[in-house]
Amino acid sequence: MVKKIAIVSLSAGILGEEFVKHEVEIGVKRLEEYGLDIKIMPHAKSGIEYVKNRPEERADDLLAAFADDSIDMILTAIGGDDTYRLLPFLFDNDALKKVVNNKIFLGFSDTTVNHLMLHKVGLNTFYGQAFLPDVCELESNMLPYSAKFFEELIHTGRISEIRPSDVWYEERKDWSPAAIGTLKVRHENQGFQLLQGNSVFEGKILGGCLESLYDLFDASRYPDSVALCEKYELFPSISDWKRKILLLETSEEQPEPALFRKMLIVLKKTGVFDVVSGVLFGKPMDELYFEEYKEIMVEVIDNPELPIVANINIGHATPRCIIPFGVNAIVDANEQVIRFVYED
């Protein structure tokens, strides 16, 4: 059972800005109501500009959280777009490898890159939620579906199975104090959608935000991202991807279909779609371009035998489940369930 949580800002430093102060207060209170001790790491609340300009201090916070034996779980504040800049400070002199241990690590979005870093040093992590987007939800409570998985994780240290949410929510337009207690707009959810292939398949899940994975191979956003990721061999080898299940979801940038296709083609060139046992695709925010995305995914992968299951409640659309990486998953699209089989 988790007793103490460390909160880190490994990408954007929004946590320290005045405009989210009311959200942070809500989130801290909720964690305390779970009986948790909270340690906000030293640089996590330093603000957007400070955090952006000091990747070494972001890395220091992560290393310190792993080194602190009193901390059971590391929770990311939010995503962003440049956590790849932590690579030298975590991998030179094996800094991360020397301190990593079996703590729970939870985050999504740009944190995809941190998951790959931790995968590289052998830690199984959890994908799907973060402090500001989930724990600090402005409704009177955490969204019930999201809360169910968060509570299971802090109480048991694992996730047993995932079934679809009954509803999905439109993204908020207002996060101001005036929005505290207001309800998000709800829609009926349609459940897991098998696009092609066998309805039952299995493997250990790995992946994350498509835009973050694309940035490992395309330097349009940051000129040095590709070189750094290649230097530290961040993207797993094709042998590592063998028989895994690839998780993909799209960010709040809501890429137009042409860009979505371009990103998938770049990912396809790695050979990953030739070796994985299946693909899981998260519901896009507000379901924008969802039908186009599904069609493009089938066209680009161009392998009718590879199972693809879409509309997983993971990533940037709410509510969010939590997916364990590195644990054998059995996907059954007919039964609408993903079950996890732990080795211990």
Side-chain angles (χ1 to χ4, degrees), residues 107-148:
F108 75 104
S109 192
D110 188 45
T111 307
T112 296
V113 177
N114 304 123
H115 284 284
L116 293 180
M117 294 173 182
L118 292 165
H119 174 75
K120 189 173 175 65
V121 294
L123 182 69
N124 292 338
T125 55
F126 294 85
Y127 191 90
Q129 296 183 11
F131 178 63
L132 276 170
D134 295 284
V135 181
C136 302
E137 165 58 43
L138 292 178
E139 287 201 11
S140 298
N141 297 290
M142 282 183 69
L143 301 177
Y145 182 85
S146 301
K148 171 186 177 293

Short mmCIF file of all heavy atoms in Angstrom, two decimals, residues 107-148:
data_model
loop_
_atom_site.label_atom_id
_atom_site.label_comp_id
_atom_site.label_asym_id
_atom_site.label_seq_id
_atom_site.Cartn_x
_atom_site.Cartn_y
_atom_site.Cartn_z
N GLY A 107 2.38 8.41 -14.98
CA GLY A 107 2.29 9.63 -15.77
C GLY A 107 1.85 9.30 -17.19
O GLY A 107 1.75 8.13 -17.56
N PHE A 108 1.57 10.33 -17.99
CA PHE A 108 1.20 10.10 -19.39
C PHE A 108 1.61 11.31 -20.22
O PHE A 108 2.29 12.21 -19.73
CB PHE A 108 -0.30 9.78 -19.53
CG PHE A 108 -1.24 10.95 -19.39
CD1 PHE A 108 -1.84 11.52 -20.50
CD2 PHE A 108 -1.54 11.48 -18.14
CE1 PHE A 108 -2.72 12.59 -20.37
CE2 PHE A 108 -2.43 12.55 -18.00
CZ PHE A 108 -3.00 13.11 -19.12
N SER A 109 1.25 11.31 -21.49
CA SER A 109 1.58 12.39 -22.42
C SER A 109 3.09 12.40 -22.69
O SER A 109 3.66 11.38 -23.02
CB SER A 109 1.07 13.73 -21.88
OG SER A 109 1.13 14.73 -22.87
N ASP A 110 3.76 13.57 -22.54
CA ASP A 110 5.20 13.64 -22.77
C ASP A 110 5.96 12.71 -21.83
O ASP A 110 7.09 12.31 -22.12
CB ASP A 110 5.69 15.08 -22.58
CG ASP A 110 7.14 15.29 -22.98
OD1 ASP A 110 7.54 14.79 -24.05
OD2 ASP A 110 7.87 15.96 -22.23
N THR A 111 5.33 12.32 -20.73
CA THR A 111 5.93 11.37 -19.80
C THR A 111 6.17 10.02 -20.47
O THR A 111 6.90 9.19 -19.94
CB THR A 111 5.05 11.23 -18.55
OG1 THR A 111 4.81 12.55 -18.02
CG2 THR A 111 5.70 10.40 -17.47
N THR A 112 5.57 9.79 -21.64
CA THR A 112 5.90 8.63 -22.47
C THR A 112 7.42 8.45 -22.55
O THR A 112 7.93 7.32 -22.45
CB THR A 112 5.34 8.81 -23.90
OG1 THR A 112 3.91 8.85 -23.83
CG2 THR A 112 5.77 7.69 -24.82
N VAL A 113 8.13 9.55 -22.73
CA VAL A 113 9.59 9.50 -22.86
C VAL A 113 10.23 9.04 -21.55
O VAL A 113 11.20 8.27 -21.55
CB VAL A 113 10.13 10.87 -23.31
CG1 VAL A 113 11.65 10.87 -23.39
CG2 VAL A 113 9.52 11.24 -24.67
N ASN A 114 9.70 9.48 -20.42
CA ASN A 114 10.21 9.02 -19.13
C ASN A 114 9.93 7.53 -18.92
O ASN A 114 10.75 6.81 -18.34
CB ASN A 114 9.59 9.82 -17.98
CG ASN A 114 9.80 11.31 -18.12
OD1 ASN A 114 8.84 12.06 -18.14
ND2 ASN A 114 11.05 11.75 -18.25
N HIS A 115 8.77 7.07 -19.40
CA HIS A 115 8.48 5.63 -19.33
C HIS A 115 9.53 4.84 -20.11
O HIS A 115 9.97 3.77 -19.66
CB HIS A 115 7.09 5.35 -19.89
CG HIS A 115 5.96 5.73 -18.98
ND1 HIS A 115 5.60 4.99 -17.88
CD2 HIS A 115 5.11 6.79 -19.00
CE1 HIS A 115 4.57 5.56 -17.27
NE2 HIS A 115 4.27 6.67 -17.94
N LEU A 116 9.92 5.34 -21.28
CA LEU A 116 10.95 4.65 -22.07
C LEU A 116 12.30 4.67 -21.35
O LEU A 116 13.06 3.70 -21.41
CB LEU A 116 11.06 5.27 -23.45
CG LEU A 116 9.85 5.09 -24.37
CD1 LEU A 116 10.11 5.76 -25.72
CD2 LEU A 116 9.51 3.62 -24.57
N MET A 117 12.61 5.78 -20.68
CA MET A 117 13.84 5.85 -19.90
C MET A 117 13.85 4.79 -18.80
O MET A 117 14.85 4.08 -18.60
CB MET A 117 13.97 7.24 -19.26
CG MET A 117 14.17 8.39 -20.22
SD MET A 117 14.10 9.98 -19.33
CE MET A 117 14.30 11.16 -20.67
N LEU A 118 12.72 4.67 -18.11
CA LEU A 118 12.64 3.72 -17.00
C LEU A 118 12.57 2.28 -17.50
O LEU A 118 13.10 1.37 -16.87
CB LEU A 118 11.45 4.07 -16.11
CG LEU A 118 11.63 5.39 -15.34
CD1 LEU A 118 10.32 5.88 -14.76
CD2 LEU A 118 12.68 5.22 -14.24
N HIS A 119 11.95 2.09 -18.65
CA HIS A 119 11.96 0.76 -19.29
C HIS A 119 13.40 0.35 -19.60
O HIS A 119 13.79 -0.81 -19.42
CB HIS A 119 11.13 0.78 -20.57
CG HIS A 119 11.20 -0.47 -21.37
ND1 HIS A 119 10.55 -1.63 -21.02
CD2 HIS A 119 11.88 -0.76 -22.52
CE1 HIS A 119 10.81 -2.58 -21.90
NE2 HIS A 119 11.61 -2.07 -22.83
N LYS A 120 14.20 1.31 -20.03
CA LYS A 120 15.60 1.05 -20.39
C LYS A 120 16.41 0.56 -19.19
O LYS A 120 17.34 -0.23 -19.35
CB LYS A 120 16.21 2.33 -20.97
CG LYS A 120 17.59 2.17 -21.59
CD LYS A 120 18.00 3.45 -22.29
CE LYS A 120 19.43 3.35 -22.81
NZ LYS A 120 19.56 2.34 -23.87
N VAL A 121 16.04 1.01 -17.99
CA VAL A 121 16.77 0.55 -16.79
C VAL A 121 16.00 -0.52 -16.02
O VAL A 121 16.32 -0.83 -14.88
CB VAL A 121 17.12 1.74 -15.86
CG1 VAL A 121 18.10 2.67 -16.54
CG2 VAL A 121 15.87 2.50 -15.41
N GLY A 122 14.97 -1.07 -16.68
CA GLY A 122 14.34 -2.28 -16.14
C GLY A 122 13.17 -2.09 -15.20
O GLY A 122 12.76 -3.05 -14.53
N LEU A 123 12.59 -0.89 -15.12
CA LEU A 123 11.47 -0.67 -14.22
C LEU A 123 10.14 -0.75 -14.97
O LEU A 123 9.96 -0.10 -15.99
CB LEU A 123 11.57 0.69 -13.54
CG LEU A 123 10.45 1.00 -12.53
CD1 LEU A 123 10.57 0.12 -11.30
CD2 LEU A 123 10.46 2.48 -12.13
N ASN A 124 9.21 -1.55 -14.47
CA ASN A 124 7.85 -1.56 -14.99
C ASN A 124 7.10 -0.36 -14.42
O ASN A 124 7.12 -0.14 -13.21
CB ASN A 124 7.13 -2.85 -14.60
CG ASN A 124 7.71 -4.07 -15.30
OD1 ASN A 124 8.35 -3.95 -16.33
ND2 ASN A 124 7.50 -5.24 -14.74
N THR A 125 6.42 0.38 -15.27
CA THR A 125 5.78 1.63 -14.87
C THR A 125 4.28 1.58 -15.18
O THR A 125 3.78 0.58 -15.73
CB THR A 125 6.42 2.82 -15.59
OG1 THR A 125 6.39 2.58 -17.02
CG2 THR A 125 7.88 2.99 -15.16
N PHE A 126 3.58 2.66 -14.85
CA PHE A 126 2.13 2.73 -15.05
C PHE A 126 1.80 3.98 -15.87
O PHE A 126 2.22 5.08 -15.53
CB PHE A 126 1.40 2.78 -13.70
CG PHE A 126 1.55 1.51 -12.90
CD1 PHE A 126 2.65 1.31 -12.09
CD2 PHE A 126 0.58 0.52 -12.97
CE1 PHE A 126 2.79 0.14 -11.35
CE2 PHE A 126 0.70 -0.65 -12.24
CZ PHE A 126 1.81 -0.84 -11.43
N TYR A 127 1.00 3.77 -16.92
CA TYR A 127 0.67 4.85 -17.86
C TYR A 127 -0.79 5.23 -17.73
O TYR A 127 -1.66 4.37 -17.62
CB TYR A 127 0.94 4.39 -19.30
CG TYR A 127 0.88 5.51 -20.31
CD1 TYR A 127 2.01 6.23 -20.63
CD2 TYR A 127 -0.32 5.85 -20.94
CE1 TYR A 127 1.96 7.28 -21.57
CE2 TYR A 127 -0.38 6.88 -21.85
CZ TYR A 127 0.76 7.59 -22.16
OH TYR A 127 0.70 8.63 -23.06
N GLY A 128 -1.09 6.57 -17.75
CA GLY A 128 -2.47 6.93 -17.92
C GLY A 128 -3.01 8.10 -17.13
O GLY A 128 -4.04 8.67 -17.51
N GLN A 129 -2.42 8.46 -16.01
CA GLN A 129 -2.94 9.58 -15.23
C GLN A 129 -1.78 10.43 -14.73
O GLN A 129 -0.63 10.00 -14.75
CB GLN A 129 -3.76 9.07 -14.03
CG GLN A 129 -5.02 8.31 -14.42
CD GLN A 129 -5.86 7.89 -13.23
OE1 GLN A 129 -5.64 8.30 -12.10
NE2 GLN A 129 -6.84 7.03 -13.48
N ALA A 130 -2.11 11.64 -14.26
CA ALA A 130 -1.13 12.55 -13.67
C ALA A 130 -1.84 13.40 -12.62
O ALA A 130 -3.07 13.41 -12.51
CB ALA A 130 -0.47 13.42 -14.73
N PHE A 131 -1.06 14.14 -11.84
CA PHE A 131 -1.60 14.89 -10.71
C PHE A 131 -2.58 15.97 -11.14
O PHE A 131 -3.76 15.95 -10.78
CB PHE A 131 -0.45 15.49 -9.91
CG PHE A 131 -0.89 16.32 -8.72
CD1 PHE A 131 -1.58 15.75 -7.68
CD2 PHE A 131 -0.59 17.67 -8.66
CE1 PHE A 131 -1.99 16.51 -6.58
CE2 PHE A 131 -0.98 18.45 -7.58
CZ PHE A 131 -1.69 17.87 -6.54
N LEU A 132 -2.14 16.94 -11.94
CA LEU A 132 -3.01 18.06 -12.31
C LEU A 132 -4.23 17.63 -13.14
O LEU A 132 -5.36 18.03 -12.84
CB LEU A 132 -2.22 19.13 -13.06
CG LEU A 132 -1.46 20.15 -12.19
CD1 LEU A 132 -0.52 20.99 -13.05
CD2 LEU A 132 -2.44 21.05 -11.44
N PRO A 133 -4.06 16.80 -14.17
CA PRO A 133 -5.22 16.46 -14.99
C PRO A 133 -6.24 15.54 -14.31
O PRO A 133 -7.40 15.52 -14.71
CB PRO A 133 -4.61 15.75 -16.21
CG PRO A 133 -3.16 16.07 -16.17
CD PRO A 133 -2.82 16.26 -14.73
N ASP A 134 -5.82 14.77 -13.33
CA ASP A 134 -6.70 13.74 -12.77
C ASP A 134 -7.03 13.95 -11.29
O ASP A 134 -8.19 14.09 -10.93
CB ASP A 134 -6.10 12.35 -12.99
CG ASP A 134 -6.01 11.99 -14.45
OD1 ASP A 134 -7.05 11.65 -15.03
OD2 ASP A 134 -4.91 12.08 -15.01
N VAL A 135 -6.01 13.99 -10.45
CA VAL A 135 -6.26 14.17 -9.02
C VAL A 135 -6.86 15.54 -8.74
O VAL A 135 -7.69 15.70 -7.84
CB VAL A 135 -4.96 13.96 -8.21
CG1 VAL A 135 -5.22 14.11 -6.72
CG2 VAL A 135 -4.36 12.58 -8.50
N CYS A 136 -6.49 16.53 -9.52
CA CYS A 136 -6.95 17.91 -9.30
C CYS A 136 -8.20 18.25 -10.08
O CYS A 136 -8.55 19.43 -10.23
CB CYS A 136 -5.84 18.89 -9.67
SG CYS A 136 -4.30 18.66 -8.76
N GLU A 137 -8.90 17.27 -10.60
CA GLU A 137 -10.15 17.49 -11.34
C GLU A 137 -11.06 18.46 -10.60
O GLU A 137 -11.24 18.37 -9.38
CB GLU A 137 -10.86 16.14 -11.56
CG GLU A 137 -12.30 16.21 -11.99
CD GLU A 137 -12.51 16.97 -13.29
OE1 GLU A 137 -11.72 16.78 -14.24
OE2 GLU A 137 -13.46 17.77 -13.34
N LEU A 138 -11.67 19.40 -11.34
CA LEU A 138 -12.45 20.47 -10.74
C LEU A 138 -13.86 20.06 -10.31
O LEU A 138 -14.53 20.80 -9.58
CB LEU A 138 -12.54 21.66 -11.69
CG LEU A 138 -11.22 22.41 -11.93
CD1 LEU A 138 -11.43 23.54 -12.94
CD2 LEU A 138 -10.65 22.95 -10.64
N GLU A 139 -14.34 18.90 -10.77
CA GLU A 139 -15.61 18.42 -10.23
C GLU A 139 -15.45 18.18 -8.73
O GLU A 139 -14.34 18.17 -8.19
CB GLU A 139 -16.06 17.14 -10.94
CG GLU A 139 -16.57 17.38 -12.34
CD GLU A 139 -17.47 16.26 -12.86
OE1 GLU A 139 -17.87 15.37 -12.07
OE2 GLU A 139 -17.79 16.27 -14.07
N SER A 140 -16.53 17.92 -8.03
CA SER A 140 -16.49 17.78 -6.57
C SER A 140 -15.63 16.62 -6.12
O SER A 140 -15.13 16.59 -4.99
CB SER A 140 -17.91 17.62 -6.02
OG SER A 140 -18.68 18.77 -6.31
N ASN A 141 -15.45 15.64 -7.01
CA ASN A 141 -14.59 14.49 -6.74
C ASN A 141 -13.81 14.16 -8.01
O ASN A 141 -14.12 14.67 -9.09
CB ASN A 141 -15.43 13.27 -6.34
CG ASN A 141 -16.21 13.50 -5.06
OD1 ASN A 141 -15.64 13.56 -3.98
ND2 ASN A 141 -17.53 13.63 -5.18
N MET A 142 -12.79 13.31 -7.88
CA MET A 142 -12.17 12.77 -9.09
C MET A 142 -13.24 12.09 -9.92
O MET A 142 -14.24 11.59 -9.39
CB MET A 142 -11.09 11.74 -8.72
CG MET A 142 -9.78 12.32 -8.25
SD MET A 142 -8.52 11.03 -7.91
CE MET A 142 -8.18 10.43 -9.59
N LEU A 143 -13.08 12.07 -11.23
CA LEU A 143 -14.02 11.35 -12.08
C LEU A 143 -14.06 9.89 -11.63
O LEU A 143 -13.01 9.28 -11.44
CB LEU A 143 -13.60 11.46 -13.54
CG LEU A 143 -13.50 12.89 -14.10
CD1 LEU A 143 -13.02 12.87 -15.54
CD2 LEU A 143 -14.84 13.63 -13.99
N PRO A 144 -15.25 9.30 -11.45
CA PRO A 144 -15.35 7.98 -10.81
C PRO A 144 -14.50 6.89 -11.47
O PRO A 144 -13.85 6.09 -10.77
CB PRO A 144 -16.84 7.66 -10.90
CG PRO A 144 -17.51 8.99 -10.96
CD PRO A 144 -16.57 9.89 -11.72
N TYR A 145 -14.51 6.84 -12.79
CA TYR A 145 -13.74 5.81 -13.50
C TYR A 145 -12.25 6.01 -13.25
O TYR A 145 -11.52 5.05 -12.95
CB TYR A 145 -14.06 5.90 -14.99
CG TYR A 145 -13.39 4.87 -15.88
CD1 TYR A 145 -13.95 3.61 -16.06
CD2 TYR A 145 -12.23 5.19 -16.59
CE1 TYR A 145 -13.36 2.68 -16.90
CE2 TYR A 145 -11.64 4.27 -17.44
CZ TYR A 145 -12.21 3.01 -17.58
OH TYR A 145 -11.61 2.10 -18.42
N SER A 146 -11.78 7.25 -13.34
CA SER A 146 -10.37 7.54 -13.08
C SER A 146 -10.01 7.21 -11.63
O SER A 146 -8.96 6.61 -11.35
CB SER A 146 -10.06 9.02 -13.36
OG SER A 146 -10.36 9.36 -14.70
N ALA A 147 -10.88 7.59 -10.71
CA ALA A 147 -10.62 7.36 -9.28
C ALA A 147 -10.53 5.88 -8.97
O ALA A 147 -9.70 5.46 -8.14
CB ALA A 147 -11.72 8.01 -8.44
N LYS A 148 -11.35 5.07 -9.61
CA LYS A 148 -11.33 3.61 -9.37
C LYS A 148 -9.93 3.05 -9.61
O LYS A 148 -9.41 2.26 -8.80
CB LYS A 148 -12.35 2.94 -10.28
CG LYS A 148 -12.28 1.41 -10.30
CD LYS A 148 -13.23 0.84 -11.33
CE LYS A 148 -13.12 -0.68 -11.42
NZ LYS A 148 -11.81 -1.13 -11.95
#
